[in-house]
Amino acid sequence: MKAVACSLEGSTLSALPAADRALEELQQSARTAYERRNFSQALRLYEQLSAQGHARAAEIAGQMLLFGESLYGASVRQDRTRAAVLLAQAAERGSPIALHLLRHLDRST
């Protein structure tokens, strides 16, 4: 089943499947939370996206968990184990940044 998303700017009309539109909305919500420095919400949303196969979201969530409080304050506790899992998922999906962070993680343990 498809839902239609319409843009009234110019004469653009785009049709997106409902699942794609929901994914786009979730991505935007995660970006917005991050930009507003609501890191606990951003992490939760990026983890949801990662569970749906989104490599960049896994990379971001892994990085947030890797650096934890030192970069993201008390709302994101460092969890190197979860970070490693997410970064490995992102690396398997082709993320060179996640691969680099995994190598850094391996050297620092």
Side-chain angles (χ1 to χ4, degrees), residues 34 39-48 50-51 56-90 101-102 104-105 108-109:
Y34 191 97
F39 296 126
S40 60
Q41 181 182 10
L43 176 60
R44 182 179 53 79
L45 295 171
Y46 282 128
E47 286 182 303
Q48 286 178 18
S50 174
R56 177 74 173 131
E59 175 188 306
I60 294 168
Q63 179 176 318
M64 291 178 77
L65 290 166
L66 178 61
F67 295 107
E69 299 93 341
S70 65
L71 288 182
Y72 300 101
S75 63
V76 177
R77 298 189 63 145
Q78 184 180 46
D79 186 333
R80 295 168 66 88
T81 302
R82 280 176 54 209
V85 169
L86 288 162
L87 291 170
Q89 290 172 357
L101 290 171
L102 275 173
H104 170 75
L105 185 61
S108 63
T109 53

